Amino acid sequence: MTNTILTGDRPTGQLHLGHYVGSLKNRVIMQSDPENELFIMVADMQALTDNAKNPEKVSSNILQVALDYLAVGLDPARTTMFIQSQIPELSELTMYFLNLVSVGRVRRNPTVKSEIEQKGFGDSVPTGFFIYPVSQASDITAFKANLVPVGEDQKPMLEQTQEIVHSFNNTYGEVLVEPKGVFPDKGMGRLPGIDGNGKMSKSLGNGIYLADSAETVAKKVMSMYTDPNHIHVEDPGQVEGNMVFTYLDVFGKDKEKIEELKAHYRRGGLGDVKIKRYLIDVLEEELLPIRTRREEFAQDPGQVMQMLKEGSEKAQAVAAQTMAEVKKAMGIAYFS
Ligand code: TRP
């Protein structure tokens, strides 16, 4: 294996088209390269750092996220999918990493900083939430991952992990692998929501979900933000910032037809309903096989949980091996 790749998602909701174009699609591509070993983690412990009083929200979404993984074509025969909390070594490693990171350093993490502000935590920020980048360093290093495909917002986590790896290796000896972040191409990382307000997200309620029915997708597309000044069909319309065209650019295969539609829309004489109907067809082509597979897997949740159990066992064996090396390097492998 040339690459060990690890990434994960917090199970706080179902996955949507933003996840699909921003990361899931790419994971399926990486999975198809036999040179890659892929670990995909359902980060329930990280989700609990700001949902401690609402564990049901996290636990109930584990199956949903796993169904989304299987639906897009992640294959347990090739990719290890597992649940973070089922690998105690990750918590163990975090305890040792915490000693290598100062409070001041944790406080400077810009992503955590803005999350603390957004959530209005102030000084009441749960300690577990405050230090989750250190826990994320354990997720990555326990598998000796060299590549970590994530969104731009995860850059500070990768930097923190690299620092911890340096610190650990300098202090105790070369055990850990320094990972590299793999970030989405410019423009592909952030699919805006159907309302055109920033990125697609559950909290903004502007998402199209992989599990959405064809009717729901159609309804959402029909409510999409277009050009508020395009009132009459014959009016010239704006293509920039028009979500229908933004989505067509991302999902449409017939680029020539899309350019024609854009020109027609700009000239006037092309109605919103027409372009929306076309987008519905384009999305349906992509979503129908995903939805169909999702429904099939959803018939047997026990089998999906069994897949995660086996993945977790496999992942734990890898993490345990790293942990043994870590303890040996630190001189705390007292009984072996
Ligand atoms: N923080 C990531 C997110 O919110 C999820 C995550 C947890 C993760 N542990 C990870 C991603 C390790 C990559 C590697 O999306």
Side-chain angles (χ1 to χ4, degrees):
M1 293 289 173
T2 318
N3 289 312
T4 303
I5 303 170
L6 181 128
T7 190
D9 305 280
R10 296 183 195 180
T12 52
Q14 293 180 347
L15 303 183
H16 51 56
L17 281 180
H19 297 112
Y20 182 62
V21 292
S23 68
L24 296 172
K25 235 176 152 165
N26 188 38
R27 293 180 196 175
V28 178
I29 294 170
M30 291 185 298
Q31 165 186 265
S32 66
D33 184 342
E35 294 283 298
N36 293 336
E37 163 132 54
L38 223 67
F39 290 94
I40 297 187
M41 183 180 73
V42 185
D44 62 334
M45 283 201 292
Q46 190 174 108
L48 282 166
T49 62
D50 63 337
N51 287 291
K53 304 285 164 63
N54 194 9
E56 159 76 5
K57 176 177 169 190
V58 175
S59 58
S60 66
N61 276 305
I62 287 181
L63 176 67
Q64 297 306 316
V65 169
L67 284 171
D68 288 328
Y69 288 166
L70 294 168
V72 298
L74 288 170
D75 175 1
R78 286 188 279 182
T79 293
T80 307
M81 291 172 257
F82 68 98
I83 307 179
Q84 187 184 28
S85 64
Q86 302 309 295
I87 321 295
E89 285 80 1
L90 299 178
S91 307
E92 197 181 354
L93 190 53
T94 301
M95 284 303 285
Y96 300 118
F97 282 176
L98 283 169
N99 302 330
L100 300 171
V101 183
S102 72
V103 172
R105 176 64 185 87
V106 178
R107 210 179 266 136
R108 280 198 299 276
N109 184 305
T111 299
V112 176
K113 226 179 186 168
S114 73
E115 281 177 310
I116 289 173
E117 263 165 43
Q118 266 170 31
K119 293 170 199 279
F121 276 143
D123 237 6
S124 320
V125 57
T127 318
F129 184 84
F130 185 58
I131 60 107
Y132 88 71
V134 181
S135 152
Q136 194 160 329
S138 305
D139 301 338
I140 296 167
T141 54
F143 298 93
K144 298 194 174 173
N146 65 315
L147 296 180
V148 183
V150 278
E152 285 288 327
D153 64 328
Q154 300 293 302
K155 245 182 194 153
M157 314 311 167
L158 263 298
E159 282 164 17
Q160 178 72 83
T161 304
Q162 288 158 352
E163 282 175 39
I164 289 172
V165 168
H166 281 159
S167 178
F168 186 98
N169 286 351
N170 285 337
T171 310
Y172 305 114
E174 291 284 325
V175 173
L176 302 177
V177 172
E178 186 179 328
K180 254 196 359 230
V182 184
F183 302 99
D185 293 339
K186 289 265 170 291
M188 285 306 278
R190 270 175 182 245
L191 184 72
I194 56 171
D195 56 358
N197 279 333
K199 80 172 186 179
M200 187 174 282
S201 87
K202 189 181 167 65
S203 51
L204 292 173
N206 61 6
I208 294 178
Y209 290 84
L210 300 178
D212 279 348
S213 68
E215 296 73 45
T216 302
V217 174
K219 223 191 279 161
K220 287 179 176 175
V221 171
M222 282 300 169
S223 77
M224 248 181 185
Y225 180 85
T226 56
D227 169 6
N229 298 318
H230 185 242
I231 297 162
H232 307 290
V233 174
E234 59 274 15
D235 292 343
Q238 193 161 336
V239 164
E240 288 70 31
N242 182 322
M243 288 308 111
V244 177
F245 287 106
T246 303
Y247 279 50
L248 283 176
D249 280 337
V250 174
F251 295 99
K253 297 201 176 76
D254 190 347
K255 301 295 174 200
E256 212 169 298
K257 168 154 183 173
I258 293 166
E259 287 315 308
E260 276 169 29
L261 288 174
K262 282 182 183 172
H264 192 176
Y265 195 81
R266 286 195 177 104
R267 266 198 320 271
L270 181 57
D272 279 9
V273 170
K274 276 229 173 92
I275 54 168
K276 285 176 170 174
R277 287 227 175 94
Y278 179 55
L279 177 59
I280 290 169
D281 290 344
V282 164
L283 288 182
E284 204 46 24
E285 197 183 322
E286 192 98 30
L287 285 173
L288 179 63
I290 295 175
R291 188 184 307 122
T292 308
R293 238 182 330 221
R294 201 180 191 284
E295 281 163 5
E296 278 166 24
F297 284 112
Q299 305 243 322
D300 193 351
Q303 191 197 325
V304 178
M305 293 312 288
Q306 179 63 27
M307 177 282 285
L308 288 174
K309 180 166 183 258
E310 286 167 20
S312 299
E313 283 163 3
K314 207 173 142 201
Q316 191 184 1
V318 177
Q321 171 62 35
T322 304
M323 203 56 224
E325 292 170 35
V326 160
K327 282 185 166 168
K328 185 159 175 276
M330 293 177 71
I332 58 168
Y334 304 119
F335 305 125
S336 54

